[in-house]
Amino acid sequence: MTDQSVSSTMWPTSNLRNFMSLAVSNLAPGKRLQQKEARRNDIIEAALAEFASQGFTATKLDDVAVRAGIGKGTIYLYFNSKESLFEEVVRCTLFPGREMAESYVEDFEGTATELMVNHFRFIYGFFQNEKVPLLLAIVLAEAARFPQLAQFFFDEMIRPSRQLIQDIIERGIASGEFRASASLIHHQLLISPAVLAAIFNLQFHQQEPIDFAVYSEMHIDFILRGLKA
Amino acid sequence: MTDQSVSSTMWPTSNLRNFMSLAVSNLAPGKRLQQKEARRNDIIEAALAEFASQGFTATKLDDVAVRAGIGKGTIYLYFNSKESLFEEVVRCTLFPGREMAESYVEDFEGTATELMVNHFRFIYGFFQNEKVPLLLAIVLAEAARFPQLAQFFFDEMIRPSRQLIQDIIERGIASGEFRASASLIHHQLLISPAVLAAIFNLQFHQQEPIDFAVYSEMHIDFILRGLKA
Amino acid sequence: MTDQSVSSTMWPTSNLRNFMSLAVSNLAPGKRLQQKEARRNDIIEAALAEFASQGFTATKLDDVAVRAGIGKGTIYLYFNSKESLFEEVVRCTLFPGREMAESYVEDFEGTATELMVNHFRFIYGFFQNEKVPLLLAIVLAEAARFPQLAQFFFDEMIRPSRQLIQDIIERGIASGEFRASASLIHHQLLISPAVLAAIFNLQFHQQEPIDFAVYSEMHIDFILRGLKA
Amino acid sequence: MTDQSVSSTMWPTSNLRNFMSLAVSNLAPGKRLQQKEARRNDIIEAALAEFASQGFTATKLDDVAVRAGIGKGTIYLYFNSKESLFEEVVRCTLFPGREMAESYVEDFEGTATELMVNHFRFIYGFFQNEKVPLLLAIVLAEAARFPQLAQFFFDEMIRPSRQLIQDIIERGIASGEFRASASLIHHQLLISPAVLAAIFNLQFHQQEPIDFAVYSEMHIDFILRGLKA
DNA sequence: CATGAATGAGGGTTCATTCAT
DNA sequence: TATGAATGAACCCTCATTCAT
């Protein structure tokens, strides 16, 4: 195996599922505001579930309302439209992962190899939350007709994700762990197998589920083989 | 470098665009049947264009009919529903690529390395047809709501695609070109970067188009690094 | 009385009600087209009834469809929106009157006084069709929020109406029947009592209906007093 | 000319704009009641502005509340429904004009001609307040669907208005200024040009605004010609 | 008294599907 | 066989009205 040296600092993937609720429920000034915030979260959570199972267009706001246990019109007290609700769902679901990854990479002090390994383990952990790949699939499929969403997704998710990986690669090149030509590698080369596997696992799990534990380690091993000096 | 040794037998990517029309216009018994077949193809081609640019739900059968130059009701003489039309479109668009790839791999007589290189060059050539990645994106996003389509897609596209790659890998292991442990590699590890890059190139080409010529060679190089003995 | 000299050529007000149907049912090429045309008229007639009794905003297209004996969606085969349907209703209801008046004035060969008298008798006859004043009231009330309609109404109804009256006045001045300063008179000064009386008669007929026969002659007499040399 | 003899006692049109506020702020028993009354006026004023610019149906109570600087629910502490609020707005906007006109006519001691002239000058001054004609237009258009409003409007505005004009006419006949047959003249004959001109000026001012100063004097002149002995 | 969050019926509009011609 | 007019269910969104705080 190539990933021998991988060490200590593992990602606590177990609590990834609580990202969203943690992220939104800040301290609230008054009781009224607190409730409003809670209600807003209810809607986002219900919408997430509906979008994930129905796709964007096929999702009915009625169903979102029913699932959230509120009236149909209430949604419009919190969001301007179905589309902006979807954007919020994407934001709330995907942002926490990005932020955690960013701060982890920044603070990490081990070797680049270790960091790369841990970063991808984190990614796989994040994708375990089945909503994430579903949203990714929806965005990938419908981005063309929602330019605003496409821009937002590119700026806030794709670009930062690329930056992280490039940073890690640069660090590895500087330390002599990775080959110099690795700086040219497009980050999609590295991350695509994780994204697609997550999506496939959802959409085709009836046909043939992928064993993420095995798949992810093989992927990481493959990456290290491709990068090593 | 790993990618220099690639040789001779290149794919004639230039005529990839004609796949579909070729694939569908099979021999027809009588003249009447021939016309029916032609009409059916017109519809599929028109539907492909619409599905590709609008997505599944947003595509209107009116527009398909207009583009095909026929009446709206005529579509229902050839297809039972919008959904089954979509399935046919997927089938007709993706099958030819599979079949060409299969016969190519079967007949190839060079090294496994060469074959792998050419196979992926073919895949990238096939994905150049911009309809293909869009259909993939749609299938990936909506598979959950079209179980029949998901099953068909898995059986007819994913499984054969995996088989091909595994065959090539086995051949390379047998010849000593690839490491023995490569037989365990999931084919998605190898193919995902091509699929996702194609989709990204469509949905985010406004943000940052990928140079396929560069990307594909880098991808192939990366694969060979990961597989080599 | 001032209107003594009024003579012969009276307006056949009795058939004013048939304007619309006459105006639209042109000869139709094929049977299919004929039916489409008929259906279109059905919708306009139903819409006229609904708009007249409910006003623009309060009119439900469901009700229009029910009254026309068709499905709700059918309306959109003939009109782009509720607003454009309303425009068509206005056009079909008010145009015939304008055109008849124009050709009558042009062809008339008697004195200006006679012409003025007959013109206003025609106007009162036209307003007997109770739909007309109702549409006028709606336009007057909602024009501000439908600029397109306002423009159309001004160009096609108000301006031509003014032109007719000014023509008659000029003719009377030339013949010495009317005072020279009458050329400065705004046409609204002359026509407003007819318009408002028609509207009042509809909206307040429960309170105190106006006897049009008496009112119109008094109005005409008043006009002649104000114009005479 | 007929309009030169108009004399002295002109209407102080300058302060017509303050009618409304004056009219509503009656003396209030206690301080609490005074505040309630003030709040009520705020709502009416805000509603007037909204109704005038949006029409009845298009006016949103949210906007009224925002404009009044109060909560949305508060409106229902003062009015039973949107409709009754509208009635109150009409009442408060149109009443003051009626009352001022009535007392002016009653107290006037000059000739009937002078009185008629001044009365119409007052009317035109009153209509300068752009809210008035808009409310008139709305009432005219929607009276059929608000029978209660129609009745109120007829009793409180139309009938008194007619009475005033008939009084002036009678006075003129008695003094020999007006022809005897003038007693039969319907008051709408005289007042319609003012009403419609005001409405037209609002709804079609983009197309062709009417110069009220000129128009009103021509109208008055026309009336005197029609009435004179 | 005052608030404003919550409601849910209802409207305009779309579009897959049907069927008479 | 082919058509395209007709349908009507469904969806997003609005807003007058209510009521717990």
Side-chain angles (χ1 to χ4, degrees), chain D residues 12-215:
Chain D
T13 49
S14 51
N15 62 13
L16 278 173
R17 283 147 222 261
N18 302 323
F19 269 177
M20 215 174 355
S21 33
L22 286 171
V24 190
S25 63
N26 294 326
L27 49 155
K31 206 146 194 185
R32 197 58 169 271
L33 273 185
Q34 214 166 19
Q35 275 211 345
K36 265 205 85 164
E37 195 65 16
R39 183 63 61 97
R40 190 183 151 88
N41 281 350
D42 291 346
I43 297 172
I44 288 179
E45 226 166 316
L48 169 59
E50 292 295 325
F51 283 133
S53 74
Q54 310 292 335
F56 176 77
T57 317
T59 287
K60 294 181 270 188
L61 290 193
D62 288 83
D63 294 345
V64 173
V66 167
R67 189 186 277 265
I70 60 169
K72 193 182 358 176
T74 308
I75 294 175
Y76 285 84
L77 297 177
Y78 295 88
F79 304 93
N80 293 325
S81 67
K82 190 185 180 184
E83 192 175 330
S84 71
L85 170 60
F86 180 63
E87 278 187 32
E88 268 307 288
V89 166
V90 173
R91 198 186 313 267
C92 291
T93 307
L94 302 183
F95 258 44
R98 167 195 150 182
E99 281 165 4
M100 285 182 73
E102 282 174 337
S103 65
Y104 182 80
V105 169
E106 194 170 349
D107 299 344
F108 188 81
E109 300 195 338
T111 67
T113 301
E114 278 174 347
L115 180 52
M116 185 68 86
V117 168
N118 286 353
H119 182 57
F120 270 89
R121 284 192 181 144
F122 166 73
I123 288 172
Y124 275 100
F126 186 52
F127 285 178
Q128 297 276 19
N129 176 357
E130 58 176 27
K131 319 288 186 180
V132 172
L134 255 172
L135 287 185
L136 288 178
I138 295 175
V139 171
L140 289 183
E142 316 228 36
R145 274 181 306 129
F146 300 104
Q148 198 183 344
L149 175 64
Q151 188 65 50
F152 151 74
F153 186 75
F154 181 80
D155 290 341
E156 304 294 339
M157 295 304 300
I158 297 177
R159 201 196 304 272
S161 160
R162 180 180 59 194
Q163 192 57 51
L164 278 184
I165 286 178
Q166 283 181 342
D167 287 351
I168 301 174
I169 289 176
E170 294 300 338
R171 203 191 287 199
I173 293 172
S175 71
E177 292 167 85
F178 301 154
R179 59 186 163 105
S181 59
S183 70
L184 300 172
I185 288 177
H186 199 294
H187 88 293
Q188 304 223 18
L189 221 51
L190 303 188
I191 208 173
S192 293
V195 175
L196 260 200
I199 296 176
F200 271 59
N201 226 10
L202 267 169
Q203 305 291 40
F204 301 102
H205 65 95
Q206 286 203 345
Q207 279 77 25
E208 197 182 84
I210 299 175
D211 180 344
F212 252 41
V214 172
Y215 183 90

Side-chain angles (χ1 to χ4, degrees), chain B residues 5 9 16 29 37 55 63 65 72 85 87 99 102 104 107-108 118 121 136 140 167 169 198 201 222:
Chain B
S5 56
T9 341
L16 277 172
E37 195 64 16
D63 293 346
K72 194 183 358 176
L85 171 59
E87 278 188 30
E99 283 164 4
E102 281 174 337
Y104 183 80
D107 298 344
F108 188 82
N118 286 353
R121 283 192 181 145
L136 289 178
L140 289 183
D167 287 351
I169 291 177
N201 227 10
F222 202 83

